[in-house]
Amino acid sequence: MRDRIIFALQLLFTLIVAAFLVVPAALSIAAGVTVNYFRGIQSGVTLQWVAQVFDLYAGTIMASIAIALGTLLVTLVVGVPAAYALYVRSGRLARLVEEIITLPVAIPGLALALGLLLSYGGFGNFRRSWLFILAGHVIFTMPFMVRSVMAIFASIDVKSLDEGAASLGAAPWRRFVDVIVPNAAPGILAGSLMVVTLSLGEFNLTWMLHTPLTKTLPVGLADSYASMRLEVASAYTLIFFVMIIPLLVAMQWIGEMGSAK
Protein backbone atom coordinates (compact mmCIF):
# COMPACT_ATOMS: atom_id res chain seq x y z
CA MET A 1 0.00 0.00 0.00
CA ARG A 2 2.78 2.39 0.96
CA ASP A 3 4.63 1.68 -2.32
CA ARG A 4 1.46 2.43 -4.31
CA ILE A 5 1.03 5.78 -2.57
CA ILE A 6 4.65 6.70 -3.24
CA PHE A 7 4.29 5.67 -6.89
CA ALA A 8 1.08 7.71 -7.23
CA LEU A 9 2.74 10.78 -5.73
CA GLN A 10 5.74 10.40 -8.02
CA LEU A 11 3.47 10.02 -11.04
CA LEU A 12 1.44 13.06 -10.01
CA PHE A 13 4.57 15.14 -9.57
CA THR A 14 5.87 14.03 -12.98
CA LEU A 15 2.57 14.93 -14.65
CA ILE A 16 2.56 18.35 -13.01
CA VAL A 17 6.11 19.08 -14.16
CA ALA A 18 5.32 17.80 -17.67
CA ALA A 19 2.21 19.97 -17.84
CA PHE A 20 4.18 22.98 -16.62
CA LEU A 21 6.60 22.48 -19.52
CA VAL A 22 4.17 21.40 -22.24
CA VAL A 23 1.19 23.70 -21.68
CA PRO A 24 3.00 26.96 -22.68
CA ALA A 25 4.28 25.33 -25.88
CA ALA A 26 0.83 23.93 -26.66
CA LEU A 27 -0.83 27.32 -26.11
CA SER A 28 1.75 29.00 -28.35
CA ILE A 29 1.14 26.46 -31.11
CA ALA A 30 -2.64 26.90 -30.73
CA ALA A 31 -2.26 30.67 -31.04
CA GLY A 32 -0.44 30.20 -34.35
CA VAL A 33 -3.38 28.42 -35.96
CA THR A 34 -6.22 30.42 -34.38
CA VAL A 35 -7.93 33.26 -36.23
CA ASN A 36 -7.99 35.39 -33.08
CA TYR A 37 -6.12 34.12 -30.04
CA PHE A 38 -8.00 36.36 -27.60
CA ARG A 39 -11.35 34.97 -28.76
CA GLY A 40 -10.01 31.44 -28.55
CA ILE A 41 -10.54 28.41 -30.76
CA GLN A 42 -14.16 29.46 -31.32
CA SER A 43 -12.90 32.18 -33.66
CA GLY A 44 -11.81 29.46 -36.06
CA VAL A 45 -8.68 27.63 -37.17
CA THR A 46 -6.48 28.97 -39.94
CA LEU A 47 -3.05 28.63 -41.53
CA GLN A 48 -2.98 32.26 -42.68
CA TRP A 49 -0.49 33.17 -39.96
CA VAL A 50 1.86 30.38 -41.02
CA ALA A 51 1.63 31.62 -44.61
CA GLN A 52 2.34 35.15 -43.41
CA VAL A 53 5.42 33.96 -41.56
CA PHE A 54 6.75 32.41 -44.77
CA ASP A 55 6.01 35.62 -46.66
CA LEU A 56 7.84 37.76 -44.09
CA TYR A 57 10.55 35.47 -42.72
CA ALA A 58 11.19 32.75 -45.31
CA GLY A 59 14.70 34.15 -45.76
CA THR A 60 15.56 33.65 -42.10
CA ILE A 61 14.33 30.06 -42.18
CA MET A 62 16.33 29.20 -45.27
CA ALA A 63 19.38 31.00 -43.86
CA SER A 64 19.21 28.95 -40.65
CA ILE A 65 18.97 25.71 -42.61
CA ALA A 66 21.93 26.71 -44.82
CA ILE A 67 24.06 27.75 -41.83
CA ALA A 68 23.16 24.58 -39.92
CA LEU A 69 24.14 22.39 -42.88
CA GLY A 70 27.33 24.40 -43.40
CA THR A 71 28.16 24.05 -39.71
CA LEU A 72 27.54 20.31 -39.93
CA LEU A 73 29.83 19.99 -42.96
CA VAL A 74 32.69 21.85 -41.26
CA THR A 75 32.33 19.97 -37.97
CA LEU A 76 32.32 16.65 -39.82
CA VAL A 77 35.37 17.46 -41.94
CA VAL A 78 37.32 18.91 -39.00
CA GLY A 79 35.76 17.34 -35.91
CA VAL A 80 35.82 13.64 -36.82
CA PRO A 81 39.53 13.54 -37.77
CA ALA A 82 40.31 15.73 -34.76
CA ALA A 83 38.49 13.33 -32.44
CA TYR A 84 40.37 10.41 -33.98
CA ALA A 85 43.72 12.14 -33.56
CA LEU A 86 42.98 13.15 -29.98
CA TYR A 87 41.89 9.65 -29.07
CA VAL A 88 44.80 7.85 -30.73
CA ARG A 89 47.46 10.35 -29.68
CA SER A 90 46.35 10.39 -26.07
CA GLY A 91 48.72 12.36 -23.89
CA ARG A 92 49.23 15.67 -22.15
CA LEU A 93 49.22 17.69 -25.38
CA ALA A 94 46.12 15.88 -26.66
CA ARG A 95 44.28 16.58 -23.41
CA LEU A 96 45.26 20.25 -23.64
CA VAL A 97 43.95 20.49 -27.20
CA GLU A 98 40.75 18.72 -26.15
CA GLU A 99 40.21 21.21 -23.34
CA ILE A 100 40.74 24.11 -25.75
CA ILE A 101 38.22 22.64 -28.21
CA THR A 102 35.61 22.14 -25.47
CA LEU A 103 36.21 25.56 -23.90
CA PRO A 104 33.36 27.28 -25.85
CA VAL A 105 30.86 25.10 -23.96
CA ALA A 106 31.79 26.90 -20.75
CA ILE A 107 31.72 30.39 -22.30
CA PRO A 108 28.38 32.24 -22.63
CA GLY A 109 27.31 32.73 -26.23
CA LEU A 110 27.34 36.51 -25.86
CA ALA A 111 30.93 36.47 -24.60
CA LEU A 112 32.00 34.16 -27.42
CA ALA A 113 30.33 36.44 -29.97
CA LEU A 114 31.98 39.49 -28.44
CA GLY A 115 35.36 37.81 -28.78
CA LEU A 116 34.70 37.13 -32.47
CA LEU A 117 33.61 40.72 -33.01
CA LEU A 118 36.72 42.09 -31.34
CA SER A 119 38.99 39.72 -33.27
CA TYR A 120 37.47 39.71 -36.75
CA GLY A 121 34.85 42.47 -36.76
CA GLY A 122 37.27 44.75 -38.64
CA PHE A 123 37.12 42.53 -41.72
CA GLY A 124 34.14 44.28 -43.31
CA ASN A 125 33.11 41.77 -45.97
CA PHE A 126 33.56 38.85 -43.59
CA ARG A 127 31.65 40.67 -40.84
CA ARG A 128 28.67 41.33 -43.12
CA SER A 129 28.49 37.83 -44.60
CA TRP A 130 26.84 34.62 -43.47
CA LEU A 131 30.33 33.18 -42.99
CA PHE A 132 30.74 35.23 -39.83
CA ILE A 133 27.73 33.55 -38.20
CA LEU A 134 28.86 30.20 -39.60
CA ALA A 135 32.25 30.62 -37.93
CA GLY A 136 30.58 31.33 -34.60
CA HIS A 137 28.33 28.28 -34.92
CA VAL A 138 31.27 26.05 -35.81
CA ILE A 139 33.20 27.18 -32.72
CA PHE A 140 30.11 26.70 -30.54
CA THR A 141 29.13 23.25 -31.85
CA MET A 142 32.53 21.67 -32.51
CA PRO A 143 32.90 20.37 -28.90
CA PHE A 144 29.68 18.38 -29.21
CA MET A 145 30.84 16.64 -32.39
CA VAL A 146 34.29 15.89 -30.99
CA ARG A 147 32.92 14.60 -27.68
CA SER A 148 30.29 12.39 -29.36
CA VAL A 149 32.82 10.82 -31.71
CA MET A 150 35.44 10.31 -28.98
CA ALA A 151 32.82 8.59 -26.83
CA ILE A 152 32.04 6.08 -29.57
CA PHE A 153 35.76 5.57 -30.23
CA ALA A 154 36.19 4.58 -26.59
CA SER A 155 33.49 1.92 -26.94
CA ILE A 156 34.74 0.22 -30.13
CA ASP A 157 38.48 -0.13 -29.33
CA VAL A 158 39.77 2.00 -32.18
CA LYS A 159 43.39 1.08 -31.63
CA SER A 160 42.73 -2.63 -32.20
CA LEU A 161 40.76 -1.91 -35.37
CA ASP A 162 43.49 0.41 -36.64
CA GLU A 163 46.26 -2.08 -35.89
CA GLY A 164 44.29 -4.89 -37.55
CA ALA A 165 43.78 -2.86 -40.72
CA ALA A 166 47.44 -1.80 -40.70
CA SER A 167 48.55 -5.44 -40.47
CA LEU A 168 46.64 -6.08 -43.70
CA GLY A 169 48.57 -3.35 -45.45
CA ALA A 170 45.97 -0.56 -45.42
CA ALA A 171 47.32 2.97 -45.67
CA PRO A 172 46.46 5.41 -42.82
CA TRP A 173 43.79 7.25 -44.82
CA ARG A 174 42.22 3.97 -45.96
CA ARG A 175 42.14 2.72 -42.37
CA PHE A 176 40.41 5.90 -41.28
CA VAL A 177 37.86 6.06 -44.13
CA ASP A 178 37.10 2.35 -44.58
CA VAL A 179 37.42 1.04 -41.01
CA ILE A 180 37.29 3.76 -38.36
CA VAL A 181 34.53 5.99 -39.76
CA PRO A 182 32.00 3.16 -40.49
CA ASN A 183 32.47 1.76 -36.98
CA ALA A 184 32.03 5.22 -35.47
CA ALA A 185 28.86 5.95 -37.48
CA PRO A 186 26.48 6.00 -34.45
CA GLY A 187 28.60 8.60 -32.65
CA ILE A 188 29.03 10.65 -35.81
CA LEU A 189 25.28 10.58 -36.44
CA ALA A 190 24.50 11.57 -32.85
CA GLY A 191 27.02 14.40 -33.04
CA SER A 192 25.60 15.51 -36.39
CA LEU A 193 22.04 15.73 -35.05
CA MET A 194 23.27 17.65 -32.02
CA VAL A 195 25.22 20.10 -34.20
CA VAL A 196 22.26 20.77 -36.48
CA THR A 197 19.85 21.16 -33.56
CA LEU A 198 22.14 23.55 -31.70
CA SER A 199 22.85 25.58 -34.82
CA LEU A 200 19.17 25.94 -35.70
CA GLY A 201 18.23 27.00 -32.18
CA GLU A 202 21.23 29.14 -31.19
CA PHE A 203 20.11 32.71 -30.40
CA ASN A 204 22.54 34.51 -28.07
CA LEU A 205 25.62 34.13 -30.23
CA THR A 206 23.71 34.68 -33.47
CA TRP A 207 21.96 37.76 -32.15
CA MET A 208 25.32 39.40 -31.48
CA LEU A 209 26.82 38.40 -34.83
CA HIS A 210 23.92 39.03 -37.20
CA THR A 211 23.28 42.10 -39.33
CA PRO A 212 19.91 43.26 -40.77
CA LEU A 213 20.75 41.21 -43.87
CA THR A 214 21.91 38.08 -42.05
CA LYS A 215 19.07 37.17 -39.73
CA THR A 216 18.49 33.54 -38.81
CA LEU A 217 15.41 31.71 -37.59
CA PRO A 218 15.83 32.40 -33.83
CA VAL A 219 16.59 36.08 -34.49
CA GLY A 220 13.57 36.32 -36.77
CA LEU A 221 11.50 34.64 -34.07
CA ALA A 222 12.56 37.27 -31.54
CA ASP A 223 11.79 40.05 -34.02
CA SER A 224 8.36 38.63 -34.73
CA TYR A 225 7.50 38.59 -31.02
CA ALA A 226 8.70 42.17 -30.68
CA SER A 227 7.01 43.66 -33.74
CA MET A 228 4.19 41.42 -35.01
CA ARG A 229 0.84 40.38 -33.61
CA LEU A 230 0.76 37.39 -31.27
CA GLU A 231 -0.70 34.99 -33.84
CA VAL A 232 2.13 35.60 -36.32
CA ALA A 233 4.81 35.17 -33.66
CA SER A 234 3.14 31.97 -32.47
CA ALA A 235 2.99 30.64 -36.02
CA TYR A 236 6.71 31.27 -36.25
CA THR A 237 7.14 29.27 -33.04
CA LEU A 238 5.11 26.45 -34.62
CA ILE A 239 7.47 26.36 -37.61
CA PHE A 240 10.45 26.33 -35.25
CA PHE A 241 9.00 23.35 -33.34
CA VAL A 242 8.30 21.49 -36.57
CA MET A 243 11.97 21.85 -37.50
CA ILE A 244 13.50 21.10 -34.09
CA ILE A 245 11.32 18.36 -32.56
CA PRO A 246 12.10 15.64 -35.17
CA LEU A 247 15.82 16.24 -34.58
CA LEU A 248 15.37 15.95 -30.81
CA VAL A 249 13.37 12.73 -31.21
CA ALA A 250 16.08 11.33 -33.49
CA MET A 251 18.75 12.21 -30.91
CA GLN A 252 16.74 10.46 -28.18
CA TRP A 253 16.28 7.39 -30.38
CA ILE A 254 19.98 7.18 -31.18
CA GLY A 255 20.81 7.58 -27.50
CA GLU A 256 18.50 4.72 -26.59
CA MET A 257 20.00 2.53 -29.34
CA GLY A 258 23.46 3.27 -28.00
CA SER A 259 22.40 2.41 -24.44
CA ALA A 260 20.85 -0.88 -25.62
CA LYS A 261 24.15 -1.90 -27.13
Side-chain angles (χ1 to χ4, degrees):
M1 183 64 181
R2 181 171 175 269
D3 291 341
R4 290 184 178 180
I5 294 175
I6 293 175
F7 173 76
L9 291 175
Q10 291 174 335
L11 179 61
L12 178 62
F13 177 76
T14 302
L15 292 175
I16 291 173
V17 172
F20 180 79
L21 297 174
V22 172
V23 168
L27 290 177
S28 181
I29 292 173
V33 295
T34 302
V35 173
N36 189 315
Y37 174 73
F38 297 101
R39 290 175 53 198
I41 199 69
Q42 61 195 22
S43 64
V45 177
T46 181
L47 292 178
Q48 63 173 320
W49 309 122
V50 176
Q52 190 169 335
V53 167
F54 277 105
D55 289 338
L56 295 173
Y57 298 104
T60 67
I61 297 172
M62 298 307 298
S64 276
I65 294 174
I67 290 174
L69 293 177
T71 302
L72 174 60
L73 178 62
V74 175
T75 54
L76 283 173
V77 172
V78 177
V80 176
Y84 175 67
L86 290 172
Y87 183 79
V88 173
R89 306 284 183 183
S90 57
R92 185 173 301 177
L93 180 60
R95 288 196 296 271
L96 177 61
V97 173
E98 183 181 351
E99 292 300 324
I100 293 174
I101 291 176
T102 57
L103 188 60
V105 176
I107 300 176
L110 292 176
L112 184 61
L114 180 60
L116 288 171
L117 287 170
L118 293 175
S119 301
Y120 307 112
F123 298 92
N125 292 332
F126 180 51
R127 170 69 183 92
R128 291 187 293 270
S129 72
W130 298 104
L131 293 176
F132 197 50
I133 297 176
L134 176 64
H137 282 213
V138 168
I139 294 173
F140 177 69
T141 59
M142 184 66 73
F144 298 94
M145 176 63 77
V146 172
R147 286 289 190 177
S148 295
V149 177
M150 288 187 70
I152 200 68
F153 282 161
S155 68
I156 62 175
D157 193 4
V158 170
K159 291 183 180 180
S160 296
L161 290 173
D162 189 60
E163 290 172 358
S167 67
L168 297 175
W173 71 271
R174 288 295 303 271
R175 300 200 299 267
F176 178 73
V177 173
D178 295 341
V179 178
I180 303 301
V181 170
N183 280 278
I188 295 173
L189 180 57
S192 299
L193 290 172
M194 193 174 299
V195 166
V196 173
T197 302
L198 290 171
S199 179
L200 286 174
E202 172 55 31
F203 172 76
N204 292 332
L205 184 147
T206 310
W207 182 79
M208 283 282 287
L209 299 181
H210 89 282
T211 68
L213 298 178
T214 56
K215 291 182 179 180
T216 63
L217 192 152
V219 176
L221 180 60
D223 287 350
S224 69
Y225 272 102
S227 59
M228 305 298 293
R229 61 182 292 172
L230 180 62
E231 291 86 355
V232 175
S234 297
Y236 206 141
T237 304
L238 173 60
I239 294 172
F240 183 77
F241 282 157
V242 168
M243 294 175 63
I244 290 294
I245 289 178
L247 295 174
L248 296 176
V249 171
M251 287 172 55
Q252 180 69 22
W253 178 75
I254 292 173
E256 291 177 353
M257 292 290 290
S259 300
K261 292 181 180 180

